[in-house]
Amino acid sequence: MSWILLLIAGLLEVAWAAGLKTSEGFTRLWPSVFTLVTAVGSFVLLALAMRQLPLGTAYAVWTGIGAVGAFVFGIIVMGEAASVARVASAALIVIGLVGLKMSSGH
């Protein structure tokens, strides 16, 4: 269950990162509200997952999901560049996340 909570927390991190971009520096009300709500949800679920998972693993996976998810969101939704170097770098993050999961013992 902790891994599911961590996955959802990571997806909420992607959501608040996207909301942060669309809030235009917290100058737009509803994107700002969305950002704050999803950020709080992400932190709460991360905290719950950390009850069972090691700190380093949980935090690294959470930030990795957020980083790669925001990267993919930026390419698909916001039209950001998808160069070979950027995609390869994101793939290395994913490989690291898989390695952490496999070696965590949970």
Side-chain angles (χ1 to χ4, degrees):
M1 185 66 173
S2 296
W3 285 104
I4 293 169
L5 293 175
L6 187 59
L7 174 64
I8 296 168
L11 294 174
L12 286 173
E13 185 181 5
V14 175
W16 72 255
L20 192 60
K21 175 76 172 166
T22 59
S23 77
E24 297 177 12
F26 292 109
T27 61
R28 297 180 59 216
L29 176 63
W30 294 114
S32 298
V33 169
F34 175 81
T35 300
L36 294 172
V37 168
T38 53
V40 168
S42 181
F43 285 118
V44 168
L45 292 178
L46 173 62
L48 293 173
M50 283 184 167
R51 288 180 174 173
Q52 304 259 323
L53 300 175
L55 166 69
T57 299
Y59 188 75
V61 170
W62 178 71
T63 58
I65 292 169
V68 172
F71 169 75
V72 170
F73 183 86
I75 290 171
I76 293 173
V77 176
M78 301 185 138
E80 295 176 359
S83 69
V84 172
R86 291 185 78 214
V87 172
S89 297
L92 289 172
I93 294 171
V94 172
I95 291 167
L97 296 176
V98 171
L100 284 171
K101 167 64 172 110
M102 291 175 62
S103 65
S104 74
H106 286 94

